[in-house]
Amino acid sequence: MRRVTSYRALFVVATMCGACQFSENRDLRRVVNSSELVGRWALTEESARDMAASGLRLLQDFSTFYFVLRADGTCEFKAFVGADAEGNVLGVPPSASKPCRWTKQVDRNAIRVEIGEADSVAYDVGEDVEGRLVLWKHAGDPDLWKYIEYRRQP
């Protein structure tokens, strides 16, 4: 009887472990300084694919979307413009770029971008597989591991 109970316990543990997924860790192991974030950031091609997989359809070429973060806390932001599955347009009008302000969050590797009076968006700071800094957030459901990601340009 004891042997049957041991096999049952082993079966339950193996089943639970098999159902677990790998959890991607995009957090940096170091603190990023504000000065490292100053510069031009461009939307990545991978992000355009991730947004499409999340149900967004880009209405412009992905290479036209960018951030410029300046040392004085000002920035220029041209967000992606897309349409959801119902055809609703999301984002900034295609010809517009918006002035903004940005701050690095003190308690974590993230920035907050304030666009105009009422709009703000937060991006985490991470690294891509080649060790380059990226600004990122989830594109839709976090469980899908799809991202809106901007890579710092040289």
Side-chain angles (χ1 to χ4, degrees), residues 41-53 58 60-65 128 132 134 146-151 153:
W41 298 77
L43 187 71
T44 65
E45 185 173 0
E46 297 86 17
S47 290
R49 285 194 301 268
D50 283 353
M51 286 188 277
L58 292 180
Q60 286 183 277
D61 178 47
F62 75 91
S63 65
T64 63
F65 309 125
D128 64 12
R132 296 176 296 186
V134 293
K146 304 295 182 194
Y147 307 102
I148 299 172
E149 190 173 79
Y150 291 82
R151 187 173 295 123
Q153 302 298 290

Side-chain angles (χ1 to χ4, degrees), residues 42-138:
L43 187 71
T44 65
E45 185 173 0
E46 297 86 17
S47 290
R49 285 194 301 268
D50 283 353
M51 286 188 277
S54 298
L56 293 173
R57 182 173 42 90
L58 292 180
L59 301 179
Q60 286 183 277
D61 178 47
F62 75 91
S63 65
T64 63
F65 309 125
Y66 63 88
F67 280 108
V68 176
L69 303 179
R70 298 184 188 99
D72 65 358
T74 62
C75 54
E76 185 179 340
F77 175 57
K78 184 164 183 191
F80 69 89
V81 179
D84 63 16
E86 289 79 41
N88 301 312
V89 175
L90 310 168
V92 177
S95 61
S97 67
K98 298 278 188 172
C100 55
R101 296 208 47 84
W102 72 279
T103 54
K104 180 178 178 303
Q105 294 182 355
V106 175
D107 56 338
R108 52 187 280 229
N109 283 327
I111 65 168
R112 175 152 304 280
V113 178
E114 296 175 10
I115 307 158
E117 302 263 333
D119 293 330
S120 71
V121 63
Y123 284 89
D124 288 303
V125 180
E127 288 181 337
D128 64 12
V129 294
E130 296 169 0
R132 296 176 296 186
L133 289 178
V134 293
L135 301 175
W136 69 274
K137 67 181 205 161
H138 294 284

